[in-house]
Amino acid sequence: MDDLLNPRLAERLGPVAVFPGDAGYEQRRQVWNASIDRSPAVIVVAGDSDDVRNAVKTAAACGLDICVKGGGHNIAGSAVADGALMIDMSNLKQVEIDAEHCIARAGGGATWAELDAAAQARGLAVPGGVVSSTGVAGLTLGGGFGWLARLHGLAIDNLLSAEIVLADGTIAICSQTEHADLFWALRGGGGNFGVVTEFTFRLHPVGPDVCFGPTFFALEDAREVLSAYAQHAPSLPRKACVWANLMTAPPVPVLPESVHGTKVLTLMQFHAGTAEEARADLHALYAGAEPLGSAFAPRPYTEAQGFLDAAYDFGARNYWRAHNHDTLKSQLIDLLVDLAPGLPTPESELLICLLGGAIADKSDDATAFPHRQIPFMTTPGARWTEETDDAEMIGWLRHVSDRITEHAVPGSYVNFIAEPEGSARRAYGGNLARLAAIKRKYDPANLFRFNQNIAPQSLSTGPRAPLSR
Ligand code: FAD
């Protein structure tokens, strides 16, 4: 590396620059997925949008790649890159709630826990994800679905505007009426278009209590329960959302000790109505099977949002795949149930997410997120601790994913893709060409490319690859 680079960077960036060896560098370069071990040349701990502008201009002037860290949860680790200028947004976590107009403003480094807590203090919420340590930024920029998405849409469907630092270092506000092309692209296009310093969302009245929690079933009942889930879940009322998970039973008090550590099917249930309504609406999913135990109960919305945090904490190595499904056919259900006994660690899982409802009210080209008509997404996940197990775990996951692919339809959710690059067509399908044209307008040199990269249109070469699964 150029010996003069660090002094130049230090001079241009000022006290917000953190270099290798400085206090905080090691902690700031880490991301949620412990498999990722990359070392940026410098980390800019941005305190405001001017720091972000300066960082973007400095990277361009010094010929450095840029990567941006929001909540750091991206499975592919796209928040951190070797030798790059990393913009750490974690100090931009201001959240403002305008309860009168049902509007929330969240900084580009806020987490869902911070946004949820502030909004719920006024009885309101923005539809987010299901683990509250996740960043508002990355989750929203990819689409963003969780328990409220069937009722109120994706996170992007509730985005009113965004303040963004563009590749040329200018700040733009984009919304339906300002830079509408960019606003369309931001709603699913990931971090391809700039650094978002503030999101403005529409809020909805939620809670304070909702019904939430897992109900566990024996693996012997899994086929029957999953068949009922396949049949009834898509037509549940929008205030209900249920994800199914073939997993290892945790040592929780609602399960008998004899069940701990065995393979089970879990229905993780959310219902924004009363306990009576929830029981009536969800009953059909159980297919008459006797649960092993249940923690499904009324509880504060913020508690529901944090319920899964410990199970998906920082520090483990992870590898995922995600598949779209137009139905859950019996062959797929058989496959998943047959694969469950082979889960390689107690933290690994075969997860099925339910979409539909308000997500599907918009067409696939209404925003950059193109998977709106998909009712189910399967997400097999391997989670382990030792580096020496990497090959075995990734091998298992790829094998499982290949088998599931036989029952999937094309496309994959950008926020669940573990491969660091090369999946833009899978992620964006028919929206990719429009995204590439917008990329050419706002980032022609492809400065923001540590993501599922959308090549600027003029740089696209060669024949277009077929839409793959
Ligand atoms: P980061 O790794 O910081 O960023 C992700 C991407 O966004 C990177 O490319 C980064 O450069 C870019 N980026 C970050 N901040 C900014 C910014 N301010 N401006 C511009 N670009 C930025 N997804 C769902 O939809 N629903 C879920 O329920 C859900 N649950 C999850 C649970 C866990 C435990 C994990 C690990 C992930 C989950 N996800 C979920 C996926 C999640 O949406 C993605 O991992 C997302 O990328 C996380 O955003 P982040 O800001 O935390 O990540």
Side-chain angles (χ1 to χ4, degrees):
M1 189 189 284
D2 171 4
D3 285 348
L4 298 175
L5 181 61
N6 280 7
R8 269 170 72 209
L9 290 171
E11 191 189 340
R12 289 190 67 123
L13 295 167
V16 294
V18 177
F19 291 94
D22 288 352
Y25 175 87
E26 285 304 316
Q27 178 255 321
R28 291 187 183 280
R29 77 180 180 90
Q30 277 160 27
V31 291
W32 177 81
N33 185 356
S35 304
I36 309 295
D37 179 13
R38 299 183 195 139
S39 301
V42 60
I43 302 175
V44 174
V45 185
D48 57 25
S49 28
D50 282 339
D51 287 341
V52 176
R53 291 179 70 180
N54 190 32
V56 169
K57 286 181 179 173
T58 299
C62 297
L64 285 178
D65 288 329
I66 293 183
C67 55
V68 184
K69 183 178 175 189
H73 275 54
N74 184 266
I75 178 85
S78 52
V80 57
D82 284 328
L85 182 152
M86 176 201 248
I87 305 177
D88 176 353
M89 301 292 285
S90 60
N91 281 0
L92 273 87
K93 44 171 78 252
Q94 74 282 359
V95 176
E96 270 174 51
I97 303 297
D98 175 350
E100 196 190 336
H101 299 101
C102 284
I103 287 174
R105 290 191 185 80
T111 64
W112 284 98
E114 289 150 357
L115 178 49
D116 285 341
Q120 272 293 280
R122 311 302 298 270
L124 300 165
V126 177
V130 306
V131 173
S132 76
S133 57
T134 314
V136 169
L139 185 136
T140 300
L141 294 170
F145 56 82
W147 306 122
L148 289 173
R150 289 171 46 77
L151 185 58
H152 295 305
L154 300 167
I156 51 170
D157 297 334
N158 295 282
L159 186 64
L160 298 174
S161 67
E163 180 189 84
I164 181 168
V165 175
L166 298 171
D168 63 5
T170 59
I171 296 187
I173 304 288
C174 62
S175 67
Q176 292 285 10
T177 52
E178 293 173 90
H179 299 288
D181 54 352
L182 181 59
F183 189 55
W184 178 89
L186 273 193
R187 287 174 292 160
N192 270 283
F193 298 93
V195 187
V196 176
T197 43
E198 188 167 85
F199 295 87
T200 302
F201 292 104
R202 182 186 305 113
L203 287 158
H204 301 272
V206 172
D209 277 3
V210 295
C211 297
F212 182 80
T215 296
F216 301 95
F217 296 89
L219 198 58
E220 300 82 72
D221 293 326
R223 270 186 182 76
E224 231 176 321
V225 177
L226 280 176
S227 300
Y229 176 77
Q231 188 186 345
H232 299 297
S235 51
L236 282 172
R238 290 180 174 204
K239 59 185 158 190
C241 186
V242 180
W243 291 7
N245 201 358
L246 288 155
M247 56 182 274
T248 303
V252 288
V254 296
L255 285 174
E257 266 182 44
S258 57
V259 171
H260 297 175
T262 65
K263 303 303 176 228
V264 292
L265 172 70
T266 303
L267 294 184
M268 192 59 74
Q269 304 146 107
F270 174 94
H271 197 293
T274 63
E276 292 69 37
E277 285 174 313
R279 263 193 294 277
D281 288 338
L282 301 176
H283 182 70
L285 303 183
Y286 295 11
E290 187 62 36
L292 295 168
S294 179
F296 183 62
R299 59 180 89 235
Y301 176 72
T302 45
E303 189 183 310
Q305 285 295 93
F307 193 91
L308 294 170
D309 286 7
Y312 296 98
D313 207 357
F314 283 74
R317 307 173 82 80
N318 289 271
Y319 192 77
W320 291 341
R321 285 272 173 86
H323 303 273
N324 288 345
H325 302 273
D326 49 7
T327 60
L328 292 181
K329 295 200 180 73
S330 59
Q331 296 94 319
L332 175 59
I333 292 172
D334 285 345
L335 172 67
L336 294 172
V337 175
D338 290 344
L339 287 167
L343 286 168
T345 64
E347 296 78 23
S348 300
E349 62 187 15
L350 299 165
L351 178 66
I352 308 172
C353 307
L354 178 69
L355 285 78
I359 301 170
D361 286 348
K362 289 186 161 62
S363 63
D364 280 354
D365 63 357
T367 60
F369 175 92
H371 313 290
R372 290 184 177 275
Q373 307 309 318
I374 297 297
F376 296 107
M377 212 178 264
T378 53
T379 313
R383 190 166 158 81
W384 69 103
T385 49
E386 300 302 326
E387 188 176 352
T388 45
D389 292 334
D390 284 5
E392 184 191 340
M393 295 297 145
I394 294 172
W396 174 80
L397 199 282
R398 286 187 175 156
H399 165 73
V400 164
S401 169
D402 288 348
R403 302 278 311 274
I404 295 175
T405 298
E406 294 165 23
H407 307 280
V409 294
S412 191
Y413 177 37
V414 70
N415 276 348
F416 286 172
I417 296 177
E419 289 74 24
E421 56 196 15
S423 301
R425 177 145 286 275
R426 253 191 320 146
Y428 297 117
N431 288 340
L432 184 57
R434 185 170 168 190
L435 281 164
I438 298 169
K439 176 82 171 173
R440 180 177 60 186
K441 178 172 167 189
Y442 289 97
D443 183 15
N446 204 3
L447 202 59
F448 300 108
R449 61 189 142 95
F450 287 99
N451 38 53
Q452 287 306 326
N453 192 231
I454 297 161
Q457 196 174 57
S458 57
L459 300 183
S460 306
T461 52
R464 174 153 294 159
L467 187 60
S468 58
R469 285 174 175 174

